[in-house]
Amino acid sequence: DSGVTQTPKHLITATGQRVTLRCSPRSGDLSVYWYQQSLDQGLQFLIQYYNGEERAKGNILERFSAQQFPDLHSELNLSSLELGDSALYFCASSVGIENEKLFFGSGTQLSVL
Amino acid sequence: AQKVTQAQTEISVVEKEDVTLDCVYETRDTTYYLFWYKQPPSGELVFLIRRNSFDEQNEISGRYSWNFQKSTSSFNFTITASQVVDSAVYFCALSEAYTGRRALTFGSGTRLQVQP
């Protein structure tokens, strides 16, 4: 158990809908990262927050947004969902800002029908 | 540009065989970090090792060993006397300290199947 908690584990929704994925980092970790894993794109970095502030942005679509709250949990919001958004979304956390060993949650499997 | 290549898509071995997973990286930074992660069938990514670019010493941890060679931009991973529990997808990853992406860039992964 990595200590990173992601909910829900599975999410099934329809095209055009909006969903929110939630992540609680390990106790003491200030950085939260979001990754998307799909068969065609592999593991893609989406976005990183550190202590409530956006730190780095990767291949995140404009339809997607994230935030980190004062209690350090994070949410990833996906809107206007398309079939191609179906993927496994991972949250990871680390103590510091960069080049850190990441601890991953078990992921949220999103299926867009 | 930052890039990680794992050319082996899938490897199948019989238990107790040794197996090496290849990882080749590209970076313009002189300071960078290399990682290996394991993704078992349960799906969670498990950290195995982090190595910085100034430390070229090979590392051994039980049946696992890593060979870092800056001259060939490779960071290969060897499992000795493989076991069925080693069956997983293994990812190599890179982060750059200065000019590029500090978040991890992952390779496409190598699926290892260890047959009993």
Side-chain angles (χ1 to χ4, degrees):
Chain A
D1 183 4
S2 67
V4 178
T5 304
Q6 286 188 251
T7 56
K9 290 195 182 307
H10 303 276
L11 200 48
I12 300 174
T13 188
T15 55
Q17 294 297 306
R18 172 190 169 93
V19 297
T20 298
L21 312 184
R22 183 188 168 100
C23 170
S24 294
R26 288 188 327 152
S27 177
D29 284 359
L30 298 179
S31 272
V32 169
Y33 307 75
W34 287 98
Y35 279 83
Q36 179 195 60
Q37 185 177 31
S38 62
L39 283 175
D40 53 344
Q41 297 288 327
L43 265 164
Q44 296 280 317
F45 167 65
L46 296 178
I47 198 164
Q48 177 199 0
Y49 280 82
Y50 177 77
N51 204 21
E53 301 287 328
E54 183 184 303
R55 175 70 186 177
K57 228 170 183 177
N59 302 322
I60 188 166
L61 300 172
E62 284 191 13
R63 299 183 286 108
F64 296 180
S65 65
Q67 53 184 326
Q68 186 180 27
F69 295 87
D71 67 353
L72 300 177
H73 91 271
S74 177
E75 292 180 356
L76 178 67
N77 300 297
L78 315 176
S79 61
S80 303
L81 284 167
E82 302 174 359
L83 296 177
D85 297 326
S86 296
L88 185 54
Y89 291 84
F90 283 109
C91 170
S93 71
S94 67
V95 174
I97 294 176
E98 55 200 31
N99 307 124
E100 296 271 324
K101 164 182 170 180
L102 302 187
F103 294 87
F104 281 82
S106 55
T108 293
Q109 181 68 57
L110 174 66
S111 299
V112 182
L113 306 179
Chain B
Q2 185 184 47
K3 188 178 176 182
V4 177
T5 301
Q6 295 180 256
Q8 303 152 308
T9 306
E10 187 161 344
I11 301 175
S12 183
V13 299
V14 177
E15 215 171 11
K16 297 183 184 174
E17 280 186 29
D18 298 347
V19 58
T20 295
L21 310 182
D22 297 334
C23 173
V24 174
Y25 62 91
E26 292 177 32
T27 177
R28 286 179 291 188
D29 263 9
T30 55
T31 302
Y32 50 89
Y33 296 81
L34 295 163
F35 302 77
W36 276 94
Y37 279 83
K38 173 182 180 180
Q39 187 176 34
S42 58
E44 193 167 314
L45 283 153
V46 178
F47 169 84
L48 295 178
I49 190 172
R50 182 182 80 157
R51 177 54 50 90
N52 74 54
S53 53
F54 297 110
D55 182 2
E56 287 194 72
Q57 274 196 323
N58 291 331
E59 180 153 341
I60 297 174
S61 176
R63 296 184 297 106
Y64 294 171
S65 62
W66 290 269
N67 180 262
F68 176 27
Q69 292 198 348
K70 282 177 80 167
S71 59
T72 56
S73 297
S74 65
F75 186 44
N76 296 337
F77 173 33
T78 297
I79 302 174
T80 303
S82 60
Q83 299 176 2
V84 172
V85 292
D86 296 326
S87 297
V89 181
Y90 291 86
F91 292 93
C92 181
L94 166 72
S95 67
E96 295 172 333
Y98 299 119
T99 60
R101 295 262 293 273
R102 295 181 178 84
L104 298 185
T105 293
F106 284 87
S108 55
T110 297
R111 180 178 298 277
L112 174 65
Q113 297 211 0
V114 182
Q115 310 288 347

